[in-house]
């Protein structure tokens, strides 16, 4: 497995790989990531196995999550690998690289993860890596979900996790 920055020719390859498993990841998303990386707003990596793109991850230096932004914590964002490339260490390698890039700057690492069962593998991965909930509860599109509220458990309802490698 090799990790490298996202390149322009990856946009269509990634779009097709995720479209094949029913996920919407349009080429325009990866083109935006390239522009943001060139502007210094986002860090990106793709995993390549036997010449085939096997997943990707990004880090945004200024999170749009209010809890992370207020504390100046960068956010690991959009870690994805098609199901055929899971359980082979790609997700861990991508996460290692993203965490390493953030911690070189001397800050904790933040991320958001969905609450429904489709995010179960990611939830286990992050907890096993030492991430802890930020204590602010669930959020829907960045807003804290108040006690008693009813919200759909889709990709827009998340919990924020933080890992601080310097904490004891």
């Amino acid at each position: 497995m090799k990790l490298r920055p996202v390149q322009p020719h990856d946009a269509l390859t990634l779009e097709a790989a995720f479209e094949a498993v029913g996920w919407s990841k349009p080429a325009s998303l990866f083109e935006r990531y390239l522009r943001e990386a060139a502007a210094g707003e986002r860090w990106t990596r793709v995993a390549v196995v036997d010449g085939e793109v096997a997943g990707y991850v990004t880090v945004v230096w200024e999170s749009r999550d209010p809890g992370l932004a207020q504390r100046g914590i960068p956010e690991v964002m959009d870690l994805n690998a098609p199901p055929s490339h899971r359980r082979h260490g790609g997700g861990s390698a991508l996460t290692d690289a993203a965490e390493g890039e953030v911690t070189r700057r001397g800050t904790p690492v933040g991320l958001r993860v969905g609450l429904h069962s489709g995010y179960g593998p990611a939830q286990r991965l992050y907890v096993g890596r030492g991430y802890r909930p930020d204590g602010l509860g669930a959020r829907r599109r960045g807003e804290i979900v108040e006690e008693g509220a009813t919200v759909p458990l889709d990709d827009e309802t998340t919990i924020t996790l933080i890992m601080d490698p310097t904490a004891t």
Side-chain angles (χ1 to χ4, degrees), residues 2 12 58 66 80 82 97 102 104 113 115-116 118 126 143:
K2 180 179 179 180
L12 291 174
T58 78
N80 278 294
V102 173
R104 272 191 279 287
V113 66
L115 298 174
H116 64 76
Y126 298 135
E143 299 294 321

Side-chain angles (χ1 to χ4, degrees), residues 22-34:
W23 298 356
S24 177
K25 298 283 181 183
S28 60
L29 173 70
F30 302 105
E31 291 162 354
R32 178 171 57 94
Y33 288 174
L34 284 163

Side-chain angles (χ1 to χ4, degrees), residues 86-132:
R86 292 185 183 166
R87 312 235 13 112
H88 300 288
S92 291
L94 288 163
T95 305
D96 287 345
E99 290 171 354
E101 191 65 22
V102 173
T103 59
R104 272 191 279 287
R105 293 179 176 219
T107 67
V109 183
L111 56 84
R112 290 177 277 175
V113 66
L115 298 174
H116 64 76
S117 63
Y119 285 98
Q123 293 165 359
R124 286 191 305 273
L125 171 74
Y126 298 135
V127 168
R129 295 181 73 86
Y131 284 85
R132 304 270 187 268

Side-chain angles (χ1 to χ4, degrees), residues 145-149:
V145 176
E146 296 299 327
E147 183 175 346

Side-chain angles (χ1 to χ4, degrees), residues 4-29:
R4 61 166 172 74
V6 175
Q7 299 171 358
H9 67 271
D10 291 327
L12 291 174
T13 303
L14 286 162
E15 178 183 55
F18 288 103
E19 188 175 87
V21 296
W23 298 356
S24 177
K25 298 283 181 183
S28 60
L29 173 70

